[in-house]
Amino acid sequence: MSRRDIQLDDQGRLRHFLTTEGLPRDLLERILDTAASFTGVIEKSIKTVPLLRGRTVMNLFFEASTRTRTTFELAAKRLSADVLNLDMGSSSAVKGESLLDTLRNLEAMQCDMFVVRHADSGAAHFIAEHVGDDVAVVNAGDGRHAHPTQAMLDMYTIRRHKGDFEPLRVAIVGDILHSRVARSQIHALNGLGAGEVRVVAPRTLLPRDVERLGVHVYHEIEAGLRDVDVVITLRLQRERMQGALLPSEQEYYQLYGISRERLALAAPDAIVMHPGPINRGVEIESAVADGPHSVILNQVTNGIAVRMAVMSMCLEGRGSRAEEDE
Ligand code: CP
């Protein structure tokens, strides 16, 4: 079964949200439209809606996170769900309990959704294959494979600033090889019809056959940034690097850092994005990260509405587990 099959039901609605790869354009647009309706909600003084009242969401983070975990928690609370944040580093997994046994026990507590971050590629898909039909799984980042809600909040941020995707040139700069965010962004940008998607990186930080993802490859930063409407820069993911792929962070900054001078090569109204956490002076100059073109903190804000959209769409039309067991 393909990853697309497991995450959609017979009517093409979201059952799980595991990857942006292969998702039809109308579904990607519906996520963005639903997020737009929630942005209206969370900008009010009363920021909650009762859509997931009585539902239970468990955040299972096996890997560190600041932005994703907190915005998933806020999103669930804005939807009136009950939320539990499990610190998997202090769970019974450290006493030898298998992942599946942990899941079975959490499911027995009538959970409706697992939000999963894991260091292993494919972990969220594995969990989705093993939970009961009533439980939805949302991938909050698995290894170097996918980070689909990050990609959708990035798409939402781009649409809010730029409107249509079709005329846009987008450059993704940096450690594409180890980046789950870049993969999910590339699938989402192509799915939404972006005019041109570029990746800009040294050969050592690009996957083999990256062109097959539907991107134009640049090794020289000046050429890669020329006339683009959106610059997305990425962190060097040292925790996933094996061997010496880079001479030094200083040299990387000299060759690929986003400085004011380099940004001047992009379109005059270009926006600068970064999924975070940022490393100032390594992939981006502080004056750019904090400057007028930066929408980095808007991305974080938009994460709440986009995660509300994904969570509500995954549970739309399903009875709560507690009701069904009565
Ligand atoms: N962008 C992102 O995934 O950030 P966190 O690791 O802080 O969740």
Side-chain angles (χ1 to χ4, degrees), residues 61 63-71 117 140-141 147 150 153 180-181 235 274-277 307:
F61 279 64
E63 221 191 29
S65 168
T66 299
R67 284 145 288 269
T68 310
R69 186 159 80 164
T70 47
T71 52
R117 169 166 292 190
H147 194 348
Q150 176 69 46
L153 75 86
R180 55 194 175 207
V181 175
R235 183 175 66 86
H274 192 308
R307 290 177 171 130

Side-chain angles (χ1 to χ4, degrees), residues 223-241:
L225 291 184
R226 200 171 300 284
D227 299 328
V228 297
D229 304 288
V230 178
V231 180
I232 303 174
T233 184
L234 301 171
R235 183 175 66 86
L236 293 174
Q237 286 143 92
R238 293 278 188 197
E239 71 276 20
R240 294 190 204 120
M241 286 186 193

